[in-house]
Amino acid sequence: MNRFSIKELEIGHEESFVFELDERKVKQFLMITNDINPLHNDLEFAREKGYSEKVVYGMLTASALSTLAGVYLPGEKSLIHSVEVNFVKPVFLSRCPLTVVGKVTEKDDRFSRITIKFTIIDKMDEKVSRGTMKIGFLE
Amino acid sequence: MTREEIYKALDEVFEEVFDDESIHVTDTTTAEDIEDWDSLEHINLVVAIENRFGIKFNMSEVTSMKNVGEMVDIILERQ
């Protein structure tokens, strides 16, 4: 786990990691959220809607942002203030694992807060989501 | 900018930050008057105001400003 303080991070600092997803994790997400939407759980339904396979929950892929902040950037001292995420392409299990990349784009020492721009990319190098996070630091 | 022009610009910043087009700030407006003006939104607000006016508040200013009027005083000084 990283333990960056705000002083140790400069604009442009980048961290990335691989985020594994499989059918078991999709089912666990269903159990936690009770989101029974068939697009994520019914292959026939997904095919009827024009997808080759079930679509992975966008919010499951976004859960990787918790890891991005809490483990990598900045890591242990992370306090997530806000997350803005755009789901630009569907995620399929056949195109996993995903790669999560975060980069510091703003830094405010007065408020001990950084802004990170992130992208999540699938195995075929397609960007599936992108957005920004504002993250504070534990004292 | 005149004080009046600053208030007009501030209204736009507040409306955007708090996503509420009915906000109109005055000299005496404080966080007590705007429901969503909490500690996190205060940071967003200060940064948005700095970007709008091209200025930077120092930490003592950020913590000592008691109302919007005092914020406008600082913006007027910095022009």
Side-chain angles (χ1 to χ4, degrees):
Chain A
M1 176 181 294
N2 290 329
R3 293 180 172 82
F4 292 115
S5 66
I6 189 162
K7 283 182 185 158
E8 293 169 319
L9 288 172
E10 295 298 333
I11 290 172
H13 186 108
E14 196 172 291
E15 294 283 333
S16 65
F17 65 99
V18 173
F19 191 65
E20 305 273 359
L21 285 173
D22 55 28
E23 193 69 50
R24 183 179 60 92
K25 289 180 180 175
V26 171
K27 287 210 163 55
Q28 288 172 329
F29 188 85
L30 166 63
M31 285 173 65
I32 293 166
T33 61
N34 207 28
D35 179 357
I36 56 171
N37 189 293
L39 185 63
H40 313 296
N41 299 294
D42 182 339
L43 179 60
E44 286 298 304
F45 181 87
R47 283 185 173 153
E48 276 171 28
K49 298 300 173 192
Y51 297 98
S52 56
E53 57 186 288
K54 292 180 289 185
V55 177
V56 176
Y57 295 98
M59 295 300 280
L60 173 56
T61 65
S63 69
L65 301 174
S66 181
T67 314
L68 175 62
V71 179
Y72 292 92
L73 195 54
E76 190 183 64
K77 298 183 176 73
S78 162
L79 267 181
I80 297 176
H81 287 190
S82 68
V83 178
E84 190 177 315
V85 54
N86 299 283
F87 301 106
V88 293
K89 289 257 171 66
V91 174
F92 303 115
L93 285 179
S94 66
R95 296 172 68 130
C96 289
L98 305 174
T99 300
V100 183
V101 184
K103 188 175 183 179
V104 179
T105 56
E106 290 173 32
K107 174 178 165 175
D108 196 323
D109 292 308
R110 292 168 306 170
F111 303 120
S112 282
R113 188 167 86 168
I114 56 172
T115 302
I116 289 175
K117 278 200 187 298
F118 69 83
T119 52
I120 302 179
I121 301 153
D122 71 14
K123 197 167 74 175
M124 311 303 283
D125 218 22
E126 289 273 6
K127 190 186 293 178
V128 293
S129 55
R130 60 179 165 76
T132 56
M133 302 177 77
K134 293 188 187 301
I135 303 167
F137 289 75
L138 291 170
E139 295 293 324
Chain B
M1 289 175 100
T2 65
R3 200 170 182 89
E4 198 173 82
E5 287 167 339
I6 290 173
Y7 269 104
K8 198 172 171 213
L10 273 181
D11 273 344
E12 290 171 8
V13 175
F14 273 72
E15 286 167 11
E16 194 175 324
V17 169
F18 295 107
D19 197 20
D20 180 352
E21 289 184 7
S22 69
I23 292 177
H24 294 293
V25 292
T26 68
D27 269 345
T28 57
T29 302
T30 70
E32 297 293 313
D33 302 308
I34 296 174
E35 191 184 351
D36 292 335
W37 191 345
D38 52 33
S39 58
L40 279 187
E41 286 299 356
H42 185 68
I43 298 174
N44 295 332
L45 180 66
V46 168
V47 172
I49 290 168
E50 289 176 335
N51 290 340
R52 173 65 182 78
F53 293 97
I55 60 168
K56 277 272 181 198
F57 297 111
N58 61 43
M59 201 56 203
S60 66
E61 289 168 340
V62 170
T63 52
S64 67
M65 286 186 282
K66 292 185 185 65
N67 53 39
V68 171
E70 292 188 10
M71 194 180 272
V72 173
D73 291 341
I74 296 168
I75 296 169
L76 272 169
E77 275 175 27
R78 295 281 167 81
Q79 287 190 106

